Amino acid sequence: MDICKIPENASKCSGGTMECFMVLSTQAQKISIATLCGLFGTLCVFENSLVLYLIFSSPRTRKKPSYIFISSLALADILASIIFVCSFVNFHVFNGTGFSKEAFLLQLGGVTTSFSASLSSLLLTALDRYISIARPSEYKLLMTRQRAWTALGVLWVSCATIAALPLLGWNCCTLDSRCSELFPFVDDNYLSGWVCLTLVLLGCIVCAYTHVLCRARQHVAYMEQHQASGGRQNTRMRMDVMLAKTLVMVLAVLVLCWSPVLALMIYSIFSRLSDPLRKVFAFCSTLCLLNSMVNPIIYALRSKELSSSLRRVLAQFRRQLKAPEESPEAESTHRSSVVET
């Protein structure tokens, strides 16, 4: 049977399967994908690595649960970028098929784990912001560093377990079931479950941030009425409102970048995808990298603590560049030239 036309057939697991999913037909399309992946991936790794450095180089930020969750988001984006770019470019641009079903599912599991952890980290951050704004007096008791690290441990283990299910046997080759039109060896039911989980996570994040925004608006109104009082509580509220707005911007970017991919995944579950739509899906997949690249920029622009840390690092770097000019050798040379004159 023609394995490219009958995705639900189990023979799709044969050696010629992978070529059916290589949808980039022209050199221009391959160059475009390689350029986008290289640009977004490189910037994503650099920016998120910088965010991790800024968080953990400051004793103040690395102890806060909010920044612990943000560091988890940055780490997930770094791993997603590296694994996604390497596997995606190798498959679609260089037509790499020299790996087994297990190797491909392992790569796909790495990408799924990283992107799922990124989304889940946003959910934990949303819950953290909600508790901080809704119950500020109890925040330090409810959200401790130990609980934050425990939540992250559960998050990463859960994401890795879910992503490993196809490798452990939930794939269309082992089950002799209908295969996905978008991913080799992936069972359609598994893809449906992962999409549903992703939509549930997005829904929970939107719900949490809706409450955060309502609380933030109440705090803004309160601060406007009590500007004369000032004080530490007002400062705390301003920081919470600023961080809440920052993370809402992150959420907006997340939804805009992931909506096309999720929409095409849902469409592929219920209907056949044409070749142009499969090419659109390949290009839309790079939007996930764009999302991971934009997040650190938002942190640097909106977070006062991270932006001040960044300015401190840049100032230290400039001092190091000027140090050779002010070295003892340079000073002695300058003095000798003055004496000779």
Side-chain angles (χ1 to χ4, degrees):
M1 295 184 180
D2 189 346
I3 57 177
C4 295
K5 294 183 178 179
I6 308 177
E8 65 270 22
N9 194 283
S11 64
K12 195 173 186 178
C13 300
S14 62
T17 300
M18 309 300 286
E19 285 78 5
C20 303
F21 295 87
M22 296 176 181
V23 296
L24 303 181
S25 55
T26 65
Q27 194 67 19
Q29 293 173 355
K30 294 181 179 181
I31 293 175
S32 300
I33 284 287
T35 303
L36 291 175
C37 288
L39 177 63
F40 293 162
T42 302
L43 291 176
C44 179
V45 172
F46 172 76
E47 292 171 1
N48 283 285
S49 299
L50 181 60
V51 168
L52 287 177
Y53 174 77
L54 294 177
I55 291 176
F56 287 99
S57 63
S58 172
R60 184 178 180 182
T61 55
R62 67 168 174 255
K63 294 180 180 179
K64 292 185 176 182
S66 301
Y67 289 102
I68 292 176
F69 296 143
I70 291 176
S71 65
S72 173
L73 175 64
L75 176 61
D77 287 337
I78 290 174
L79 294 177
S81 299
I82 295 175
I83 302 173
F84 177 84
V85 170
C86 292
S87 58
F88 195 78
V89 171
N90 178 60
F91 184 79
H92 284 288
V93 177
F94 298 106
N95 298 332
T97 58
F99 41 80
S100 61
K101 177 191 72 174
E102 289 75 17
F104 178 84
L105 292 177
L106 181 62
Q107 293 178 3
L108 183 63
V111 175
T112 304
T113 299
S114 303
F115 280 129
S116 299
S118 177
L119 188 60
S120 301
S121 297
L122 274 178
L123 177 58
L124 288 181
T125 308
L127 295 176
D128 172 77
R129 287 299 87 203
Y130 174 75
I131 296 174
S132 176
I133 289 182
R135 306 173 70 177
S137 60
E138 305 175 23
Y139 174 76
K140 290 186 177 180
L141 295 176
L142 295 175
M143 190 60 67
T144 62
R145 276 181 291 170
Q146 182 178 0
R147 290 181 178 178
W149 285 111
T150 302
L152 286 182
V154 173
L155 180 156
W156 280 90
V157 170
S158 300
C159 292
T161 302
I162 294 173
L165 291 177
L167 184 62
L168 296 176
W170 191 354
N171 56 74
C172 58
C173 303
T174 304
L175 301 177
D176 193 18
S177 57
R178 186 177 186 273
C179 295
S180 169
E181 293 185 342
L182 296 173
F183 306 100
F185 313 120
V186 174
D187 180 66
D188 246 358
N189 292 326
Y190 173 81
L191 181 61
S192 302
W194 187 83
V195 170
C196 290
L197 176 62
T198 303
L199 293 176
V200 168
L201 289 176
L202 283 174
C204 292
I205 294 173
V206 171
C207 181
Y209 274 114
T210 300
H211 288 84
V212 167
L213 284 178
C214 292
R215 291 285 183 176
R217 292 184 63 182
Q218 293 175 3
H219 284 185
V220 170
Y222 175 83
M223 286 186 290
E224 290 177 352
Q225 295 176 0
H226 300 79
Q227 283 181 349
S229 62
R232 188 173 180 180
Q233 186 177 3
N234 256 2
T235 303
R236 171 63 181 270
M237 280 194 239
R238 288 191 185 96
M239 292 176 61
D240 288 341
V241 171
M242 177 65 72
L243 190 52
K245 291 180 179 179
T246 299
L247 296 173
V248 168
M249 292 174 61
V250 173
L251 175 62
V253 173
L254 176 78
V255 172
L256 290 175
C257 291
W258 275 86
S259 294
V261 173
L262 292 175
L264 287 173
M265 285 184 182
I266 295 173
Y267 183 79
S268 70
I269 295 171
F270 298 101
S271 180
R272 294 290 305 276
L273 288 177
S274 61
D275 287 340
L277 280 180
R278 294 169 70 188
K279 292 180 182 179
V280 170
F281 178 80
F283 279 92
C284 288
S285 298
T286 60
L287 292 177
C288 303
L289 284 177
L290 177 63
N291 169 67
S292 299
M293 184 191 74
V294 170
N295 285 344
I297 298 176
I298 299 177
Y299 303 148
L301 293 177
R302 300 285 297 180
S303 173
K304 291 184 178 179
E305 292 178 300
L306 289 185
S307 59
S308 62
S309 297
L310 179 60
R311 287 193 296 269
R312 184 174 64 251
V313 170
L314 292 177
Q316 183 179 2
F317 180 71
R318 285 195 294 267
R319 286 195 299 268
Q320 291 178 351
L321 290 179
K322 293 180 180 179
E325 300 176 1
E326 302 173 357
S327 61
E329 293 79 3
E331 185 176 354
S332 62
T333 303
H334 174 71
R335 288 179 178 177
S336 62
S337 63
V338 171
V339 171
E340 291 176 0
T341 303

